[in-house]
């Protein structure tokens, strides 16, 4: 009975402190059904990633698990860059132009150049950039309907739904990496 009470207390604490996701997928007001469901999932994942990292100190943000790993801050910027790319790809049928490459290519590709350059910035720096990209994603998705969502991306075999599914599952994959790195980072 003591074990049951302990687990029940843990569950109550987790749910009351919002450690778990929203528990429902519903289209927010102003979005078509399928797009709104995707928005609900994207927002849930972003909230869970943000909750995982928002209180990290600079050593944790910049920690490298090994010589081939990426820093947590760089991965957050990578999520923003990927989302920005898919905004352009699905809404404008193009990839980054030269000016956008200057801003987004480094975090999109990650690797050694990103390990060297994306460092010494607080987690809020990366989260603020992702917030701005997400605001634009939400604005753009609100202008489309489910017919557009199910249509093919120009000159591609994928449809818009699959493209945004990819953004979502990409975030989920990196959420796992980020949480692993947080567990391995030395605590100060």
């Amino acid at each position: 009975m003591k074990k049951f009470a302990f687990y029940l207390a843990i569950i109550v604490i987790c749910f009351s402190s919002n450690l778990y996701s929203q528990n429902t997928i519903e289209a927010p007001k102003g979005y078509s059904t399928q797009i709104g469901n995707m928005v609900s999932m994207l927002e849930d994942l972003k909230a869970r990633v943000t909750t995982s990292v928002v209180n990290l100190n600079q050593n944790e943000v910049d920690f490298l698990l090994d010589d081939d790993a990426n820093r947590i801050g760089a991965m957050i910027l990578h999520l923003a860059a990927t989302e920005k790319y898919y905004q352009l790809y699905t809404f404008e049928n193009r990839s980054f132009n030269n000016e956008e490459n200057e801003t987004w290519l480094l975090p999109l590709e990650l690797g050694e150049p990103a390990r060297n350059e994306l460092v010494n910035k607080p987690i809020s720096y990366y989260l603020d950039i992702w917030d701005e990209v997400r605001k634009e994603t939400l604005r753009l998705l609100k202008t489309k309907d489910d017919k557009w969502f199910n249509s093919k991306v120009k000159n591609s075999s994928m449809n818009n739904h699959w493209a945004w599914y990819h953004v979502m599952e990409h975030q989920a994959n990196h959420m796992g990496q980020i949480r692993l790195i947080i567990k391995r980072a030395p605590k100060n």
Side-chain angles (χ1 to χ4, degrees), residues 42 79 83 130 134 167-175:
L42 286 167
L79 294 176
E83 189 165 328
W130 195 15
R134 177 55 58 88
V167 172
M168 184 192 68
E169 61 98 17
H170 187 83
Q171 291 173 6
N173 284 326
H174 282 294
M175 180 174 65

Side-chain angles (χ1 to χ4, degrees), residues 126-138:
Y126 303 106
L127 291 172
D128 288 348
I129 292 170
W130 195 15
D131 286 345
E132 288 303 310
V133 170
R134 177 55 58 88
K135 282 180 194 174
E136 181 66 1
T137 297
L138 297 177

Side-chain angles (χ1 to χ4, degrees), residues 88-107:
L88 299 172
Y89 189 62
T90 59
F91 291 99
E92 298 181 27
N93 297 325
R94 67 179 182 87
S95 59
F96 294 137
N97 61 32
N98 289 337
E99 183 180 331
E100 291 158 340
N101 270 338
E102 292 293 317
T103 302
W104 297 111
L105 198 57
L106 179 75

Side-chain angles (χ1 to χ4, degrees), residues 55-124:
N55 294 316
L56 296 181
N57 64 42
Q58 195 62 54
N59 290 332
E60 293 167 317
V61 172
D62 289 340
F63 176 71
L64 281 173
L65 188 59
D66 59 45
D67 291 341
D68 293 322
N70 293 293
R71 301 175 199 283
I72 290 172
M75 280 193 278
I76 298 296
L77 200 53
H78 173 73
L79 294 176
T82 302
E83 189 165 328
K84 183 65 178 178
Y85 177 84
Y86 277 90
Q87 281 176 7
L88 299 172
Y89 189 62
T90 59
F91 291 99
E92 298 181 27
N93 297 325
R94 67 179 182 87
S95 59
F96 294 137
N97 61 32
N98 289 337
E99 183 180 331
E100 291 158 340
N101 270 338
E102 292 293 317
T103 302
W104 297 111
L105 198 57
L106 179 75
L108 186 69
E109 293 181 345
L110 290 175
E112 188 169 349
R115 276 191 292 281
N116 295 329
E117 286 189 43
L118 300 177
V119 64
N120 297 323
K121 294 196 178 354
I123 195 64
S124 60

Side-chain angles (χ1 to χ4, degrees), residues 7-35:
Y7 288 119
L8 183 59
I10 295 293
I11 290 168
V12 168
I13 289 168
C14 288
F15 280 103
S16 66
S17 64
N18 294 322
L19 291 178
Y20 283 90
S21 63
Q22 63 199 20
N23 299 316
T24 59
I25 296 172
E26 295 178 34
K29 186 176 170 97
Y31 294 95
S32 63
T33 303
Q34 289 182 24
I35 291 174

